Amino acid sequence: MKAKDRIESEAARLFAPVLEAHGVRLWDCEYTREGRDWYLRLTIDKDGGVNINDCEAVSRDAGEILDKSDLIQDAYTFEVSSPGLTRVLKRPRDFENSIGRKVDVRLYEAKNGMKEFTAVLNEADADHVTLGMEDGSQQTFARKDLALIRLAFVG
């Protein structure tokens, strides 16, 4: 297991009691490098959405646990945020929770003349997604062919 994956997995495990205590659930835990800087990003969600007070409370409590754990040896920035309205779908649970909703899709390579489009997520499994297209048809795409899939902003 790569160090990045180990840190993400261990951080998610460490933060589980904090998330439960604040009535939120984990959307994503990502340890990433941007330029020369490292970031540990904790993305939280709950029914009805999270607000700044939720993020602040989780950040404070999770930060204390993180400081005591000595999980990350290098300098990094810790951030807690909401996944936002146009959240990226990554894990099986993200897809399951989004069935029937509109999604924005970007493919690595165009298929049927389309590379970016909006559709309804009808089905999803570990390897494929089936989308309801604007013309009423359904198309199935391999997950490995999706550069990005996220909830669409419906205003």
Side-chain angles (χ1 to χ4, degrees):
M1 178 183 279
K2 290 194 268 183
K4 174 188 176 319
D5 295 335
R6 182 187 58 76
I7 289 170
E8 290 171 350
S9 176
E10 183 63 14
R13 186 191 67 74
L14 284 171
F15 299 149
V18 171
L19 302 178
E20 185 176 335
H22 289 285
V24 299
R25 63 184 169 272
L26 178 69
W27 181 267
D28 196 16
C29 184
E30 178 184 41
Y31 185 60
T32 187
R33 186 174 187 167
E34 294 179 6
R36 296 183 314 196
D37 300 323
W38 283 95
Y39 293 86
L40 178 61
R41 292 194 173 108
L42 183 64
T43 308
I44 59 174
D45 198 16
K46 69 178 181 183
D47 295 340
V50 296
N51 60 41
I52 190 71
N53 295 329
D54 296 319
C55 293
E56 181 182 349
V58 169
S59 178
R60 181 181 51 254
D61 293 349
E64 287 178 16
I65 289 173
L66 195 56
D67 290 343
K68 291 176 185 173
S69 75
D70 206 26
L71 175 64
I72 303 171
Q73 304 302 312
D74 301 316
Y76 65 95
T77 300
F78 179 52
E79 299 176 345
V80 177
S81 67
S82 157
L85 293 175
T86 58
R87 58 194 65 179
V88 175
L89 307 182
K90 295 181 178 181
R91 297 179 314 272
R93 183 181 73 216
D94 302 342
F95 286 87
E96 290 168 17
N97 292 339
S98 301
I99 298 293
R101 297 182 68 183
K102 283 192 173 188
V103 291
D104 291 327
V105 178
R106 184 181 320 138
L107 304 173
Y108 287 111
E109 295 182 22
K111 182 176 177 183
N112 300 329
M114 298 181 306
K115 189 168 182 175
E116 293 186 28
F117 54 92
T118 300
V120 174
L121 180 61
N122 289 338
E123 296 177 33
D125 62 31
D127 300 315
H128 297 90
V129 297
T130 301
L131 304 172
M133 308 306 285
E134 287 184 356
D135 66 4
S137 69
Q138 287 198 85
Q139 290 191 32
T140 300
F141 297 88
R143 294 255 311 259
K144 67 179 178 59
D145 294 336
L146 305 176
L148 174 77
I149 183 166
R150 67 176 174 216
L151 292 181
F153 178 75
V154 182

